[in-house]
Amino acid sequence: MRIGNFLVGLVSIWFLSCQSGVEIERISPENLVAVSSLISPQDSIVKVYVYQGKALGSVVRSSEAVINDAKVSIADDSTVHMLHFDAKNNSYFVDNRTLKVRPSKNYKLQVLLSTGAILAGNCTVPPNPDKAVVEGNKEGNDYAFSIQKPANNVSFFTFHFELKNVVFVPKLGASTGPYLGLLVGNGLFDAKDFTVNSIENKAFNAYLAESVSLQTVLYSLDSHSYHYLKTRAEAYTWEANTSGLIPNLKEPKPLYSNIEGGVGIFGAYNRSISLTPIQ
């Protein structure tokens, strides 16, 4: 899972949750404002998305729901940084060299709407995580691997795997090159529940290649990001199992939010990258 992709569909899933019977306490849908942002030391640009809700049953394009006249700021320990609206990306932004997102620091987000309403959130960037430790062995032509539990400074996390430096020449009886198996579950982990068997996967046909390496990206999440992504995955699963012919008997659950005065997420993550040569 790529963390940067989390914003895709964020607002629609908030409104989808409302339409599925999840009520946002004391805020009517047409007055609902959704704010979303994940910050990281590795990102060159910090972005904040602000969207206006609509009445239940309404259909609106995400670009038409954008609020472009808010005053958006992010404050660190000593300075308040104003963000500027980017019409091309429909988001508010500030250069990370200006804001200087740093590990273990706290940041506060404020969104002032033209109506006078104020939305706010805060988060703390996780410390720099150590590189993931990969243990693997050859099983036929495949590379079977597992991931050790991250160091103690990582509480919530996820991984992204990718094969790199692949040199493969198709041959008779070996026309398919290396590829990764699919992981079971949503790929989000709480360190206290993580075991040595939590992640086991294979790079199939790895030993049919002349060269291949496994890149492992460890994303350390703050608690806000973890709980948002977890409930978001559950919401997608609920929606996928619901249709007009076969109703889902489970009650939908609201998405996690840490935005005061509205809904959404202001969270943080940090990451490390390791490269494991297979051969």
Side-chain angles (χ1 to χ4, degrees), residues 1 157-159 183-189 199:
M1 175 174 56
F157 53 95
T158 187
F159 296 96
L183 290 172
V184 178
N186 58 28
L188 297 163
F189 300 97
I199 288 187

Side-chain angles (χ1 to χ4, degrees), residues 206-278:
Y207 289 94
L208 295 179
E210 296 180 21
S211 174
V212 61
S213 298
L214 174 67
Q215 178 178 279
T216 304
V217 183
L218 166 61
Y219 292 97
S220 178
L221 310 172
D222 74 330
S223 62
H224 299 307
S225 302
Y226 170 78
H227 288 104
Y228 164 72
L229 291 170
K230 187 172 184 293
T231 57
R232 178 176 179 265
E234 292 170 350
Y236 276 125
T237 299
W238 186 91
E239 181 67 12
N241 294 329
T242 302
S243 70
L245 297 176
I246 305 176
N248 192 331
L249 299 180
K250 293 184 178 180
E251 288 292 328
K253 297 180 180 179
L255 295 184
Y256 176 87
S257 171
N258 70 331
I259 298 298
E260 299 177 9
V263 294
I265 177 70
F266 180 55
Y269 70 95
N270 207 334
R271 77 180 182 207
S272 63
I273 301 176
S274 61
L275 192 66
T276 306
I278 298 176

Side-chain angles (χ1 to χ4, degrees), residues 166-181:
V166 178
V167 178
F168 172 74
V169 180
K171 301 175 183 178
L172 183 64
S175 59
T176 303
Y179 63 95
L180 286 168

Side-chain angles (χ1 to χ4, degrees), residues 80-119:
V80 176
H81 303 273
M82 298 302 301
L83 280 68
H84 306 283
F85 185 74
D86 178 7
K88 181 178 180 180
N89 295 302
N90 288 328
S91 64
Y92 297 83
F93 76 97
V94 63
D95 193 296
N96 203 348
R97 290 174 297 181
T98 300
L99 179 59
K100 297 180 180 178
V101 177
R102 296 293 181 262
S104 304
K105 288 188 64 175
N106 181 262
Y107 295 86
K108 296 180 180 179
L109 169 70
Q110 178 175 285
V111 177
L112 174 61
L113 303 178
S114 60
T115 60
I118 297 177
L119 293 82

Side-chain angles (χ1 to χ4, degrees), residues 112-189:
L112 174 61
L113 303 178
S114 60
T115 60
I118 297 177
L119 293 82
N122 68 84
C123 67
T124 299
V125 181
N128 290 327
D130 294 338
K131 293 182 179 180
V133 178
V134 179
E135 295 182 339
N137 58 276
K138 183 179 180 181
E139 291 186 358
N141 292 321
D142 307 329
Y143 177 72
F145 64 91
S146 60
I147 307 296
Q148 289 189 5
K149 183 176 181 178
N152 292 333
N153 65 346
V154 178
S155 298
F156 306 99
F157 53 95
T158 187
F159 296 96
H160 174 72
F161 303 103
E162 189 172 348
L163 295 180
K164 294 286 189 178
N165 307 321
V166 178
V167 178
F168 172 74
V169 180
K171 301 175 183 178
L172 183 64
S175 59
T176 303
Y179 63 95
L180 286 168
L182 297 176
L183 290 172
V184 178
N186 58 28
L188 297 163
F189 300 97

